[in-house]
Amino acid sequence: MTAQSDKWVSADRAHSWHPFTDQELWEAEEPVVIRQGEGTWLIDTGGRRYLDANSSIWTNIHGHCHPAIVKAIQQQAATLCHSSFLGLANDKASELAEKLCGFFPDRLTRCFFSDDGSTALEVAFKMSLQWRQQNGHPERTGIIAFENAYHGDTLGAASVGGVSRFIKGYGESGLQVYRVGSLDELQTLPQVVLQTASAIVIEPIIQGVNQMRLWPPGMLAGLRSWSSRNEIHLVLDEVMTGFGRTGEMFACQKEEVIPDFLCLAKGLTGGTMPLAATLTTDEIYEGFKGPDRTFYYGHSYTGNALGCAAALASLALFDTEDTLANVERKGEFLESSLRNLPGVLGIRRVGLVLGFDIEGCGQTFCQQLRERGVLTRPILNTIVLMPPLSINEEELGFLIDAVASVLKS
Ligand SMILES: *Cc1c(COP(=O)(O)O)cnc(C)c1O
């Protein structure tokens, strides 16, 4: 290790506190300090290159430092970095709201910006609940959520999540949540729950943090019918699945479902800036007009111009690079290559989101992948492979070889 990277490691050890990280183990291990990104690759302070096999925790879409997004951010930074969105508009946020709603013409007509996935969900829950209070259904105060769901870490979003190891300690202090395991189980909910629920929330098609478990085909469409029939708002958490990850721009398009609230973050800016959006309908929007009906919610950086410029550049790349065209082909290649490897168990995949199980410890497996130039994080004994959509064949080959080599050792 160079003297310079020593400096960063000791500063980190002295002062940083990492998310979802056992700090005791962290302090004992030799950390990787990233300082550059280039396409599918991350480069550390010692000059070592790593394939970014989980898209920097599911955010990156077109590769790191894509020149088109870099240029958009640079131009925006030189023009306007940020101005308040409270009672003011900015050109980039206007364009982005129009563009996002344009994916669901005449249905999702309103876009509310926030900062990350958790806040996109907080916005949806607060909007749904407040809308009920002022539109004739004050008794609807509950949220129905799925077991093992993950919707973020802020207090409200965490209380709706169903991963017990993440919510112990404060899961009880949040929203009023009814938890169910499946579409079938919804049919057995007591009448009182159906009459007091405001919304139901789901990660469509696939539950990411729940070890990449896919819902049965048709489940989402069934859920849409159920929620409409029971007049319960459908909130879709597309924080992971949005922006091409599943092969469609949005996972809900796989079953031609349009929700009442659509939550977007992670890939929105192509993995460059923190920005989120909650899309909703005219009906919800109109229910906030009039005296004492304002939606009192907003962050200092809501509608951030830099983030919006990055998002517009990222969305433009889907057209100029025809990003969606090859997602399924790449995903199939990855899956079929892994199928041939002994020790790869129970592959789950949609588009370029893939999880498989191993016999041993996921953490150790990923440590060994890192030694072979591949970065990802496990979920328990599940190895997650979710590379940027721009990954090429040669890089997929490198990734598969690294997995094969760890399995052999
Ligand atoms: C990551 C994630 C979130 C939380 O997003 P943050 O940006 O980390 O707050 C919520 N839901 C899903 C499905 C996610 O994958």
Side-chain angles (χ1 to χ4, degrees):
M1 204 167 18
T2 65
Q4 251 204 331
S5 56
D6 265 350
K7 179 186 84 179
W8 291 310
V9 170
S10 54
D12 184 286
R13 288 219 171 113
H15 300 294
S16 294
W17 187 343
H18 293 265
F20 283 88
T21 300
D22 179 331
Q23 285 292 135
E24 204 164 36
L25 294 180
W26 172 262
E27 285 174 21
E29 76 174 80
E30 206 47 66
V32 170
V33 185
I34 300 295
R35 79 168 200 167
Q36 199 186 336
E38 198 181 279
T40 315
W41 302 86
L42 290 168
I43 304 164
D44 74 10
T45 46
R48 267 210 75 179
R49 294 165 68 83
Y50 305 88
L51 192 146
D52 188 359
N54 76 346
S55 296
S56 293
I57 209 70
W58 317 352
T59 59
N60 195 280
I61 302 287
H62 307 290
H64 291 279
C65 296
H66 191 293
I69 304 182
V70 170
K71 186 172 159 210
I73 293 173
Q74 284 173 336
Q75 283 181 348
Q76 189 59 42
T79 312
L80 170 73
C81 290
H82 182 67
S83 62
S84 170
F85 211 54
L86 278 61
L88 283 173
N90 74 70
D91 58 342
K92 291 300 182 294
S94 301
E95 282 177 41
L96 181 57
E98 181 179 48
K99 179 99 189 161
L100 291 173
C101 292
F103 287 108
F104 303 92
D106 304 326
R107 301 292 294 281
L108 300 180
T109 52
R110 290 287 156 181
C111 172
F112 192 96
F113 290 112
S114 63
D115 302 351
D116 47 31
S118 311
T119 56
L121 271 295
E122 299 276 344
V123 167
F125 298 141
K126 280 193 159 185
M127 273 182 183
S128 175
L129 293 168
Q130 188 180 331
W131 189 88
R132 299 294 187 185
Q133 291 306 306
Q134 54 202 34
N135 289 276
H137 286 285
E139 76 287 359
R140 288 197 181 269
T141 53
I143 306 288
I144 305 175
F146 285 89
E147 281 162 16
N148 297 306
Y150 177 77
H151 298 297
D153 300 331
T154 52
L155 203 50
S159 72
V160 173
V163 182
S164 56
R165 65 187 186 282
F166 295 165
I167 58 178
K168 70 170 190 265
Y170 36 76
E172 301 304 307
S173 55
L175 295 168
Q176 178 191 333
V177 180
Y178 312 103
R179 243 177 271 287
V180 291
S182 64
L183 191 56
D184 283 346
E185 220 179 284
L186 281 175
Q187 319 298 334
T188 68
L189 281 175
Q191 206 57 28
V192 61
V193 171
L194 298 182
Q195 285 165 358
T196 57
S198 182
I200 182 162
V201 59
I202 188 171
E203 298 154 85
I205 308 295
I206 179 169
Q207 284 186 315
V209 172
N210 187 21
Q211 298 175 283
M212 299 297 160
R213 287 203 170 83
L214 287 139
W215 294 111
M219 191 279 194
L220 187 62
L223 185 61
R224 174 70 278 188
S225 313
W226 181 89
S227 56
S228 300
R229 214 164 45 240
N230 289 287
E231 295 179 28
I232 293 171
H233 295 144
L234 177 62
V235 178
L236 292 189
D237 177 352
E238 291 236 24
V239 173
M240 177 187 84
T241 52
F243 303 102
R245 216 50 92 181
T246 67
E248 299 283 343
M249 194 56 142
F250 303 105
C252 61
Q253 293 168 323
K254 286 193 171 293
E255 297 194 3
E256 291 172 31
V257 162
I258 298 178
D260 302 292
F261 297 92
L262 181 67
C263 302
L264 304 170
K266 288 193 170 111
L268 171 56
T269 60
T272 60
M273 309 273 299
L275 182 74
T278 305
L279 306 188
T280 191
T281 62
D282 238 24
E283 192 190 4
I284 298 293
Y285 175 73
E286 291 300 323
F288 283 84
K289 284 187 181 162
D292 295 325
R293 288 178 152 222
T294 302
F295 187 52
Y296 288 112
Y297 187 108
H299 297 288
S300 318
Y301 283 98
T302 295
N304 178 254
L306 277 173
C308 292
L312 286 166
S314 174
L315 288 170
L317 283 175
F318 278 91
D319 295 328
T320 54
E321 296 191 345
D322 207 4
T323 308
L324 296 181
N326 295 312
V327 172
E328 185 53 29
R329 187 181 55 78
K330 290 174 187 178
E332 260 171 31
F333 174 70
L334 183 60
E335 179 178 352
S336 60
S337 309
L338 292 171
R339 281 210 186 283
N340 298 325
L341 301 178
V344 170
L345 311 171
I347 299 181
R348 284 87 68 193
R349 180 186 72 85
V350 55
L352 261 174
V353 178
L354 185 147
F356 64 87
D357 299 334
I358 53 158
E359 291 281 1
C361 165
Q363 194 79 42
T364 310
F365 194 95
C366 290
Q367 184 62 38
Q368 289 170 341
L369 274 178
R370 181 199 282 192
E371 286 158 18
R372 288 161 177 79
V374 168
L375 291 179
T376 188
R377 277 175 72 87
I379 304 167
L380 305 176
N381 70 327
T382 298
I383 308 304
V384 174
L385 300 180
M386 197 189 301
L389 306 186
S390 55
I391 191 169
N392 64 33
E393 240 157 82
E394 194 186 329
E395 291 162 339
L396 279 169
F398 179 92
L399 173 58
I400 293 154
D401 288 348
V403 172
S405 160
V406 174
L407 285 165
K408 234 182 266 165
S409 69

